[in-house]
Amino acid sequence: MSAMLSDLSTVVVLASRARQRVRLAMGISALALGVLAALSIANGAVSVPLADLPRILFGAGEGAERYSLVVLNIRLPRTILVMLVGAALALSGAIMQGLFRNPLADPGLVGVSSGAALAAGITIVLGDLIFGGRAGSLPFALLPLGAFLGGLASTFLLYGIATRRGRTSIATMLLAGIALGALSGAMSGFLSYLSDDRQLRDLTFWALGSFAGASWTKVSAVAPVLFALVISAPFLARGLNALAIGEAEAYHLGFRVQIIKAGSIVLVALAVGVSVAAAGVIGFVGIVVPHLVRLMLGADHRTLLPLSAMGGAVLLIAADLVARSVVAPAELPIGIVTAAMGAPFFLWLLLRRELGIE
Amino acid sequence: MMAPVIEARAAGYSVRGKALVHAASLALDEGRITAIIGPNGAGKSTFLKLLSGELVPDVGQIRSLGTDIGALPPWRLACRRAVMAQASRLAFPFLVHEIVRMGLEGYGARAAGGFGGIVEGALARADAAHLAGRQYQTLSGGEQQRVQFARTLCQLEAGRRIEPRQALLLDEPIASLDLCHQLALMDAVREAAHGEGVAVLAVLHDLNLAAHYADYLVAMNGGRIVATGVPSEVMTPGLIRAVFRVDVGAMPDIAGPAILPQFCRRIDEPTAA
Ligand SMILES: Nc1ncnc2c1ncn2[C@@H]1O[C@H](COP(=O)(O)OP(=O)(O)OP(=O)(O)O)[C@@H](O)[C@H]1O
Ligand SMILES: [Mg+2]
């Protein structure tokens, strides 16, 4: 008995309390995700009775055929795509913040997403030139690849500019991010003068973000990347924890710092690239979600990464519901909704002045 | 003769043609506290970074148990030596016990299981047990330093199962500690060296503490090791004058009180929670 009591030491109690909080948060976000997904499938131009959903999704019964086409071909892929992209964006935000050792890093904010969008734009215009502009001739797989390379190039450039001797200057990072974003924007704008009407529509789509074109093809492009991200996150998490004390310290603790950094950059670029290819530029998810998770559950990346993924899915599916309902039957680009929610949040973060900005 | 845990062989380091450390040689012996003294900019931290493997020497070699330190995988090295840097800043709101636990994260997967109590023991030895649940960023400078010290103790304790011969490198570990905690931390360091056989290297600015605790003293100036030996041989008024440009020896002619701590009579009461 006394041995058991001494085992219940402060550290053990603290750790088990933290695990309880994490389980609770996991449960709550899974619940929210389920409810929001059901709403997302049911709502729209044709509204599907919630009570019929199980029958439509898990084998058609009578009366289900009426809705099954719209649910299975339009609503379901869209809902899944939104969740995947939300998870990928929040996860890449959390990883990027760990890499830059700063809570203000966000792929959208520091130009990585616009770099990816620019590369996607170039892929569209060049791809049409190469493939002769025949409608539908551009293989969809080229877009994520292009966007990934664009995201990779931007992240490398940004990291190279903002980080000297293992220290990232947050001011340099944000300013370089603005410059990179503006440059990508200018080049994307220039591209729009070279493009025809269909290409132009696509380019606008990259700039503001939208899930209107969701399809099973896009889901099948995003899903493997998110899967890879989720698989590698636990390995990355311990390294990012150590990196938070410092780059030298992480090495002293036994981590291969260069591998952690390179892995983070590639994963962020992958996640951002494939998200941008599937849904365009969607900002602020990557900054809002990890920050809220840190506020509620602490900084440990082993909980931060999975819960950010969950939270990102929840947040984006809510944003998509808003985007579809405010001006129904038309819909807003989702980037507008996330910016409208995220920008004030970002300002609030700045006002709290707890970020150690110099 | 066994090769030392960590050893510098004529190791030099320069930045843009300027030598910060000139061909320095030093072997860290197990069970012994080696202290480095020297003025600001003498190259003490740079030398310590060479010994830890953080910097790679331009000339010469850093060896650990006979192997070049660059050839060892980081996790192996982490089992063999722990490092406390002069200053470190934390990026995110981690809790104290999470920071200390990181001491066993680097190779946790390779030595899984049986780490219970190590975190707690390390916190207690650094007199930081009462801080376990606090957010690191809200601690005072001295409290943060004690937590970092606990992290290194935790790393050594966990790594000992894989690498029984170990070193502890401390860069100004007591710089922001109060008098009582300076003594307490140095006592814990002495316990690690004399009790557990760890080879300790500490950069110290307090010459009295260096003389009292060090078994072996190294004086650096201008990137060179200028004197080595037991404290009574090295810490002479002549050397102090040459290295620090301060006259010492006679009773100083000062008006205020002069504090001479009674090293052996530290009142050992843990800090209240
Ligand atoms: N990256 C660098 N580039 C140029 N000079 C450097 C660099 N790092 C250190 N120095 C210089 O090398 C010298 C030795 O630095 P080091 O940090 O080793 O000194 P130190 O003995 O630890 O001093 P202190 O007592 O102030 O901690 C200093 O003059 C410092 O300005
Ligand atoms: Mg120094």
Side-chain angles (χ1 to χ4, degrees):
Chain A
M1 189 63 209
S2 67
M4 277 190 62
L5 274 181
S6 69
D7 272 354
L8 282 178
S9 54
T10 345
V11 173
V12 175
V13 170
L14 284 169
S16 86
R17 253 188 240 147
R19 272 195 299 278
Q20 265 170 17
R21 272 204 307 277
V22 170
R23 272 198 293 274
L24 185 68
M26 279 284 190
I28 291 174
S29 35
L31 196 69
L33 201 57
V35 171
L36 286 167
L39 284 178
S40 163
I41 293 173
N43 277 342
V46 181
S47 84
V48 179
L50 274 175
D52 286 348
L53 271 189
R55 262 191 299 151
I56 299 169
L57 290 177
F58 311 110
E62 34 186 308
E65 302 83 12
R66 243 184 346 135
Y67 301 115
S68 65
L69 197 70
V70 75
V71 166
L72 293 181
N73 290 340
I74 299 173
R75 300 272 174 79
L76 192 58
R78 177 173 187 144
T79 303
I80 292 176
L81 189 67
V82 172
M83 294 197 293
L84 290 177
V85 168
L89 286 176
L91 207 50
S92 59
I95 293 174
M96 196 160 179
Q97 286 145 28
L99 170 71
F100 281 88
R101 306 186 61 221
N102 197 286
L104 283 186
D106 168 68
L109 212 58
V110 295
V112 174
S113 302
S114 20
L118 170 64
I122 293 175
T123 314
I124 295 177
V125 174
L126 277 190
D128 278 359
L129 277 181
I130 293 165
F131 290 91
R134 279 164 284 134
S137 62
L138 189 66
F140 177 76
L142 271 187
L143 272 187
L145 188 68
F148 162 64
L149 292 177
L152 198 63
S154 325
T155 317
F156 263 122
L157 210 60
L158 192 68
Y159 193 83
I161 293 171
T163 306
R164 291 280 145 78
R165 304 189 157 273
R167 253 176 243 291
T168 302
S169 149
I170 181 63
T172 315
M173 179 193 76
L174 288 175
L175 293 175
I178 291 171
L180 279 181
L183 192 63
S184 307
M187 288 161 79
S188 296
F190 178 68
L191 267 186
S192 69
Y193 279 91
L194 302 179
S195 32
D196 57 35
D197 269 359
R198 186 188 61 78
Q199 291 171 342
L200 199 59
R201 237 183 313 116
D202 282 356
L203 290 178
T204 337
F205 161 84
W206 302 123
L208 291 175
S210 165
F211 284 100
S215 64
W216 285 116
T217 325
K218 291 188 177 179
V219 170
S220 63
V222 179
V225 171
L226 187 71
F227 188 68
L229 218 59
V230 168
I231 293 289
S232 42
F235 296 101
L236 211 55
R238 295 187 311 126
L240 291 178
N241 278 348
L243 216 52
I245 323 184
E247 214 165 287
E249 281 75 5
Y251 165 71
H252 294 150
L253 286 170
F255 289 93
R256 289 182 186 274
V257 176
Q258 295 308 324
I259 291 182
I260 295 168
K261 292 200 304 194
S264 303
I265 289 180
V266 169
L267 285 180
V268 166
L270 261 179
V272 173
V274 80
S275 304
V276 164
V281 177
I282 300 170
F284 293 104
V285 179
I287 201 163
V288 171
V289 175
H291 194 87
L292 287 179
V293 175
R294 254 184 237 114
L295 218 55
M296 289 186 287
L297 298 167
D300 188 344
H301 286 83
R302 282 172 303 188
T303 53
L304 178 67
L305 295 186
L307 270 151
S308 289
M310 296 280 274
V314 170
L315 183 77
L316 205 60
I317 207 164
D320 186 52
L321 272 172
V322 172
R324 281 153 56 189
S325 15
V326 204
V327 290
E331 68 175 72
L332 284 174
I334 193 166
I336 291 181
V337 179
T338 58
M341 298 194 298
F345 180 85
F346 184 69
L347 290 177
W348 173 73
L349 280 189
L350 290 178
L351 284 176
R352 283 180 22 123
R353 294 217 165 264
E354 281 181 12
L355 295 165
I357 300 171
E358 293 137 23
Chain B
M1 223 195 97
M2 279 200 294
V5 203
I6 294 182
E7 166 194 29
R9 288 191 178 178
Y13 184 79
S14 36
V15 174
R16 277 178 246 105
K18 182 181 167 238
L20 308 186
V21 174
H22 297 268
S25 296
L26 179 69
L28 302 185
D29 287 341
E30 280 148 88
R32 189 168 80 168
I33 298 179
T34 305
I36 303 186
I37 57 170
N40 293 146
K44 306 181 295 295
S45 295
T46 310
F47 188 41
L48 189 125
K49 285 176 190 168
L50 286 172
L51 290 165
S52 76
E54 181 185 337
L55 295 177
V56 180
D58 307 319
V59 295
Q61 252 195 338
I62 307 293
R63 293 164 73 86
S64 171
L65 302 182
T67 327
D68 190 284
I69 213 169
L72 288 167
W75 73 268
R76 190 94 215 189
L77 204 52
C79 297
R80 211 175 275 178
R81 61 100 184 85
V83 187
M84 182 172 160
Q86 190 168 359
S88 54
R89 262 187 47 210
L90 188 65
F92 298 108
F94 281 94
L95 302 182
V96 164
H97 74 92
E98 293 174 322
I99 296 288
V100 176
R101 191 184 305 273
M102 283 180 202
L104 33 96
E105 286 285 308
Y107 42 90
R110 287 178 175 82
F115 284 130
I118 291 186
V119 173
E120 206 131 83
L123 276 167
R125 285 169 69 188
D127 192 15
H130 59 294
L131 304 173
R134 290 272 305 276
Q135 231 183 61
Y136 179 85
Q137 288 162 325
T138 65
L139 300 182
S140 76
E143 288 169 338
Q144 291 188 347
Q145 206 158 20
R146 272 146 58 201
V147 171
Q148 293 291 350
F149 180 62
R151 175 177 60 77
T152 60
L153 290 181
C154 176
Q155 184 178 342
L156 286 183
E157 188 69 37
R160 190 161 296 141
R161 294 148 199 227
I162 299 168
E163 293 282 352
R165 303 179 58 196
Q166 295 182 309
L168 176 59
L169 309 178
L170 306 164
D171 197 349
E172 300 191 23
I174 54 172
S176 41
L177 299 187
D178 63 58
L179 186 56
C180 169
H181 281 109
Q182 290 185 358
L183 300 179
L185 190 140
M186 287 313 294
D187 284 344
V189 168
R190 179 178 269 174
E191 168 59 25
H194 297 175
E196 287 147 20
V198 176
V200 177
L201 179 72
V203 175
L204 295 173
H205 271 308
D206 187 318
L207 299 182
N208 288 318
L209 282 185
H212 179 74
Y213 281 101
D215 303 304
Y216 192 74
L217 211 53
V218 175
M220 286 186 76
N221 197 11
R224 289 173 207 280
I225 293 180
V226 292
T228 57
V230 294
S232 56
E233 289 170 4
V234 174
M235 200 89 81
T236 58
L239 180 112
I240 305 290
R241 191 181 308 114
V243 170
F244 292 96
R245 287 172 293 144
V246 176
D247 274 321
V248 292
M251 273 306 278
D253 180 21
I254 46 172
I259 307 299
L260 295 172
Q262 311 294 302
F263 290 111
C264 312
R265 272 183 264 144
R266 185 166 62 83
I267 302 153
D268 213 350
E269 273 171 26
T271 313

